[in-house]
Each structure stands twice: as C-alpha cells, then as structure tokens.
Amino acid sequence: MPSVALKLYSVFFKFVFKHRLQNLIQSSNDESSSPYGVTTRPEESVSASNPSFTDGVATKDIHIDPFTALSIRIFLPDSSLSPPEQPDSKAKPRSYQKDDPNSHNHRRSSYGPPNVGAPRNDSRRSSLEGLNLRSDNNAYRGYSPSPRNCRKLPVVLQFHGGVWVSGSNDSVANDYFCRRIAKLCDVIVVAVGYRLAPENKYPAAFEDGLKVLNWLAKQANLAECSKSLGNGARGVGSEFTKAEFQRHFVDAFGSSMVEPWLAAHGDPSRCVLLGVSCGANIADYVARKAVEAGKLLDPVKVVAQVLMYPFFIGNVPTQSEIKLANSYFYDKAMCLLAWKLFLTKEEFSLDHPAANPLIPDRGPPLKFMPPTLTVVAEHDWMRDRAIAYSEALRKVNVDAPVLEYKDAVHEFATLDMLLKTPQAEACAEDIAIWVKKYISLRGHEFSY
C-alpha cells in the first residue's frame, strides 16, 4: 500500500486541485476563449532553460507558432557531442533478469512478450573541442559542429500531463523527467507546450501535437536544404566555408527557420512519441495521424510510442473505474470535472474519440499502429481501459507490452514529489530499455 505520507499529500493535492478547477470553471463562464491560449498556469513552478551542459543536458525554448501560444522545449544530451559510435559485432547485450535481486523485480508485472533489457547508458564526458560555443558561459549554439564529433540522435516528442487544464512543458517536474529520459535513452527530447483548456477546448491540444510533428518534418527538410546549399556554395569556389555559409543561411532567413540543435543532431527517422496521462491521449492521436499521413511526413518516421497511465475513459465503467473511483491524486470525480472543461457542452461524452481509443470506426486500423508500450499503476482508476487497448493492439500483432507497477498511483513517475522515488527511476529505466529496441542503429539487439 502507498505510504502514509503519500496518502496525506494526496488529500492536500485533491483539495488544492479542486479549488483550481472551480476557479477555472468560473473563469470559463466569465471570459470568452482566445485562440492564442495559454500553456502554463501562474501558480505552477517553472524551470528556466539552460543552453549549457552543466548537468549533462542543455535546454532551449522555442515559440514555434506566431498565432498561438504553442511552444516547445528541446533537451539535448551531451552525448550528442561525442563521435558517432561504431557497431561492435562482438558486443553482447546484457540481459535484464526479473529474478535478479538487483533488478527491481518487485516493482512491476508485465503483460505481453517477456523482456530482455540493455545496459544502462554510460555517463560520458563529451569533448567540446571544435564546436561552436559562446565563450561567455559555454552555451551551446549548435550551428556547425565538427563532422567527426557530430552524432545524430533519435527524437522523442513528449506530451506532459495535467488533465488538459494544467501542467506545462517547462514545469520543474516535467523538466526533470525529460532530462532523465534524454540521458537514459540517449535521445533529443522535444517537450510540447500545447494549449490548455478551458481557454482552448478540444481539439486545440491535439492539433498542437500534430503541428509539432509537422514542424519537425519541416525542420528536417530545411536542414537538408541548408546542407545542400552549403555544399553547392563551396563547390563553385565561394570564399565562404561550409560552416560560414550555413550560419549565413540561418541568419538570413531567421533562426526560427532552421533550428540548429535539431539540424546538427536530430534524426527524425527515429521518432518516438511519449505521452503522460492526458498527454498519452495526444501521443496516440498524433501516432494515428502519422500512420494516415504515411510518406507525406518524410523524413519523420514514428517508430514507437510510450503511453504512461493514459487518460482513457468510456461510458461503460470498467472494474478499476468502479473499485478505484476515489483513488489517489487524480480521482474520477476530478478528472471528469476537468473533462467537462476540455470539451464543449455539445460534444461532451465519455466515449468521445479523444478519450476512448476503442470506440468503433476510429481510424486507422489498429494493425497499422506503431509499437506501443503502456505503463499503468495498480491504484489508478483508468488502468483497465489502458490494458484493454494494449490487448487490442496485440491481437492484431502490434508489439504492445504493458508494465504495471505495484503500489503505484497515477503519475507516480512524473509527479513532483514522486520523481526521485525508486519506482519512478525504475520506470524510466524500463522505458529506456524498451525504446532502445526501436531506435538502436545496431538492430534489435535490445529485445523486449
């Protein structure tokens, strides 16, 4: 069972959050919605971006849509500055044994295929020699790193939780979680600051998620265009070096045109979607749209998605919805209140496509969905429907394991007070083990 301290904090959390919801209801009745919207609440603590690698990950914020509040935060691990790794044919992966007393085998049970893991990500000190750095504070600009030091890393699009009405991509808790994922998975994390309800109701958050995926595709194409123009300029005897030409290209068209970190280090052909709570609903929607778009998204390819305790609900209650209705932190009553703030009165339904992934005629066919890892908590009232969705994917031969964590609550791995618990750390490691199966350039050496 959860600790006494956790139970007391849950009571306090519910009291405060219910008060915030009531204020939002009042404000939604008094004010008309604005298409620009908001991506964070004044009462939430945020973490400032830091473009230097002081803790192994550099971050920057970008406002990518001039017409809305949509923004992103990029998390770049310092491993991106290391020379590209060469596959070692003699290297053998270490297995992740569930009967090993040091493997945290007490923390979760799994559904689907058995898992074999990967070694932890090594903590490396990257050489900054030859890179374009500002001499004042070593803030990484990333315009033209030395080719011998340039590494292309997979990209993880991350969507935060907060039951549609709270949370942000730059909150202290989300910043900490994204840094952890960036280092463990050795990836670039792009945290999406989508518009919140009730200022922007459905489908604003979903459209923002898809807009960022399309933005990522445009960035990849612009970077390739910049590279081609740079090669062409040098080929006709220009006095500019390739690095100078690329920087000139960026300066001439605006830094918002070509994002240097992604251009230098991002590999959009290995894109993973990761959603937390209601963010998992957005991730699943974006994955469906990516399947429908097909090659129109090239060179972006969604190779997998991770759904962490998704906000899946429906009209017909499951056993967990009945038994755990008054569960810890985000109970059923509060979630449904937030759901009403997210939808308009005319389209309010628990079987809305944004909430129930198993309603009939919701395209595309499940067999075309990417591999999907689902994380659920024992004391989460929404757990049964998430498991049911995973089972439906497995029935059509999609790799869709479920990790269920014992004595865990909703958002146990992403809530501020729980981020440094052994369960939260174990969850992040388990996610990294599975994700590496689909982003590794060495093939499926990290099997699950």
Side-chain angles (χ1 to χ4, degrees), residues 94-378:
R94 285 180 284 177
S95 60
Y96 186 76
Q97 302 293 343
K98 290 199 287 185
D99 56 353
D100 185 346
N102 296 321
S103 66
H104 305 286
N105 61 346
H106 62 279
R107 69 195 178 220
R108 51 103 177 95
S109 61
S110 61
Y111 301 75
N115 57 320
V116 181
R120 288 189 184 181
N121 192 32
D122 295 331
S123 58
R124 297 180 289 249
R125 294 300 302 170
S126 300
S127 172
L128 304 183
E129 182 180 358
L131 299 176
N132 192 336
L133 299 173
R134 288 204 299 267
S135 59
D136 53 353
N137 59 358
N138 283 340
Y140 181 54
R141 292 158 68 179
Y143 280 106
S144 291
S146 172
R148 59 196 174 118
N149 285 337
C150 182
R151 284 190 68 205
K152 292 289 188 178
L153 299 181
V155 178
V156 172
L157 287 191
Q158 190 264 358
F159 306 92
H160 65 82
V163 291
W164 314 107
V165 300
S166 65
S168 67
N169 65 329
D170 59 355
S171 68
V172 174
N174 199 67
D175 184 89
Y176 186 93
F177 173 74
C178 289
R179 288 176 181 273
R180 173 179 282 171
I181 292 297
K183 288 187 283 189
L184 283 175
C185 296
D186 198 17
V187 297
I188 298 174
V189 176
V190 178
V192 181
Y194 55 85
R195 289 170 291 172
L196 302 176
E199 290 84 355
N200 292 100
K201 296 180 180 290
Y202 174 85
F206 288 81
E207 291 176 343
D208 287 350
L210 184 58
K211 188 175 294 184
V212 172
L213 187 68
N214 284 311
W215 177 85
L216 184 63
K218 291 179 181 178
Q219 283 295 315
N221 289 321
L222 283 170
E224 189 63 29
C225 178
S226 172
K227 180 179 178 181
S228 299
L229 288 174
N231 289 334
R234 186 169 60 175
V236 296
S238 170
E239 64 180 355
F240 289 125
T241 65
K242 181 179 177 182
E244 289 171 340
F245 186 89
Q246 288 180 337
R247 188 181 305 177
H248 176 74
F249 180 87
V250 172
D251 292 341
F253 289 91
S255 60
S256 62
M257 293 294 293
V258 178
E259 207 305 297
W261 288 12
L262 293 176
H265 303 292
D267 181 2
S269 67
R270 294 180 288 161
C271 180
V272 178
L273 306 178
L274 190 156
V276 176
S277 189
C278 64
N281 296 43
I282 301 176
D284 188 64
Y285 169 85
V286 173
R288 290 173 182 268
K289 291 300 181 182
V291 170
E292 293 175 351
K295 293 185 178 180
L296 294 177
L297 275 175
D298 283 350
V300 172
K301 182 179 179 182
V302 176
V303 298
Q305 67 170 338
V306 179
L307 309 180
M308 300 181 67
Y309 21 83
F311 191 99
F312 290 161
I313 56 179
N315 275 326
V316 180
T318 64
Q319 289 187 359
S320 64
E321 291 175 359
I322 297 173
K323 182 179 179 181
L324 302 171
N326 193 33
S327 56
Y328 303 94
F329 296 101
Y330 296 97
D331 60 29
K332 186 174 183 178
M334 284 200 307
C335 288
L336 294 184
L337 191 59
W339 184 239
K340 291 180 180 179
L341 286 169
F342 181 62
L343 293 180
T344 62
K345 293 180 180 180
E346 295 75 20
E347 57 185 351
F348 179 81
S349 170
L350 298 185
D351 275 337
H352 192 281
N356 191 341
L358 295 175
I359 59 173
D361 302 323
R362 186 184 183 219
L366 292 182
K367 65 180 180 179
F368 297 116
M369 291 295 287
T372 302
L373 173 67
T374 303
V375 175
V376 296
E378 181 183 11

